[in-house]
């Protein structure tokens, strides 16, 4: 080991550092040239070995990713299913698909009676969330009649009124009698 004195830049002091010599076998490895296996091979085999070395990448597939976007997006991690200790709803919701839930009652006003006689149309008060297809299906299920079209409106009182136009095969007066409107 030897001691070397070094002047610290910008300072007034000298620093002493101990230098350890390198091992003897380190100097030996520097003087020897590495032996290459390619010198012992024939021409074709040598070319094949060089080509194989050139095609095989020394770098690993997983290197540092090059980020091309400004924003960083977190990689998706494991998301487990929920395991609730109790049901989210204590009582199941009322089904609006059922025909009896769609049609509440037939309307028996003077104007609805006039529509029954003149334009072969029945008037019902229906569920506020029911659509025209559901109303048409409910009328078919409950009264066994075919209808041409359904018109709906929401009254100022917040009720949905459905005008159900029956097909030519059915008479609205007969259906109204059967239902109990008249």
């Amino acid at each position: 080991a030897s001691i070397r004195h070094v002047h610290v830049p910008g300072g007034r002091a000298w620093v002493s550092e101990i230098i350890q010599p390198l091992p003897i076998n380190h100097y030996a490895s520097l003087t020897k040239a590495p032996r290459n296996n390619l010198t012992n091979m024939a021409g074709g085999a040598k070319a094949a070995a060089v080509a194989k070395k050139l095609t095989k990448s020394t770098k690993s597939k997983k290197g540092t990713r090059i980020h091309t976007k400004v924003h960083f997006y977190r990689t998706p991690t494991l998301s487990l299913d929920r395991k609730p200790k109790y049901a989210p709803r204590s009582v199941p919701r009322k089904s609006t698909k059922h025909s009896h839930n769609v049609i509440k009652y037939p309307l028996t006003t003077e104007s609805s009676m006039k529509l029954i006689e003149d334009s072969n149309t029945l008037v019902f008060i229906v569920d506020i969330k029911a659509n025209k297809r559901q109303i048409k299906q409910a009328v078919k299920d409950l009264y066994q009649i075919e209808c041409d079209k359904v018109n709906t409106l929401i009254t100022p009182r917040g009720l949905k009124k459905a005008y159900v136009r029956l097909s030519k095969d059915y008479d609205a007066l007969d259906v109204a009698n059967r239902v109990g409107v008249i």
Side-chain angles (χ1 to χ4, degrees):
S2 62
I3 299 172
R4 185 172 76 169
H5 301 289
V6 182
H7 184 261
V8 178
R12 293 186 180 157
W14 287 82
V15 177
S16 302
E17 67 179 26
I18 299 170
I19 301 169
Q20 292 289 335
L22 292 170
I24 295 167
N25 60 359
H26 174 76
Y27 295 112
S29 66
L30 290 176
T31 56
K32 267 193 226 171
R35 287 203 44 99
N36 199 345
N37 292 340
L38 295 175
T39 54
N40 301 338
M41 292 184 178
K46 196 176 194 180
V50 169
K52 189 174 181 184
K53 261 197 172 169
L54 289 175
T55 54
K56 203 186 279 186
S57 175
T58 55
K59 293 177 182 157
S60 67
K61 297 285 184 204
K62 281 189 175 179
T64 54
R65 231 180 97 226
I66 298 166
H67 291 278
T68 56
K69 294 186 174 106
V70 176
H71 300 285
F72 175 77
Y73 295 98
R74 186 180 58 82
T75 53
T77 55
L78 178 68
S79 57
L80 299 170
D81 292 335
R82 292 187 173 193
K83 294 173 187 155
K85 299 280 187 265
Y86 57 89
R89 290 183 64 81
S90 59
V91 179
R93 285 197 172 122
K94 183 181 78 169
S95 173
T96 54
K97 302 272 186 199
H98 197 270
S99 300
H100 289 284
N101 293 339
V102 172
I103 293 179
K104 291 182 179 177
Y105 54 88
L107 206 62
T108 56
T109 58
E110 280 185 38
S111 59
S112 64
M113 291 300 163
K114 187 167 172 38
L115 284 170
I116 288 171
E117 292 165 6
D118 295 345
S119 59
N120 204 28
T121 302
L122 292 171
V123 184
F124 295 100
I125 297 296
V126 295
D127 184 43
I128 195 83
K129 289 181 180 176
N131 59 33
K132 292 181 182 183
R133 289 187 197 90
Q134 288 172 340
I135 295 165
K136 195 172 185 176
Q137 190 60 44
V139 168
K140 187 177 180 181
D141 292 345
L142 292 174
Y143 307 118
Q144 291 81 37
I145 53 174
E146 290 289 326
C147 52
D148 279 346
K149 70 175 189 173
V150 177
N151 289 344
T152 58
L153 64 88
I154 296 175
T155 64
R157 290 174 55 196
L159 301 171
K160 186 177 262 193
K161 197 189 284 189
Y163 295 95
V164 180
R165 178 86 177 266
L166 302 184
S167 62
K168 302 280 184 208
D169 305 334
Y170 299 96
D171 186 35
L173 272 169
D174 295 340
V175 176
N177 285 330
R178 197 165 31 130
V179 171
V181 175
I182 300 174

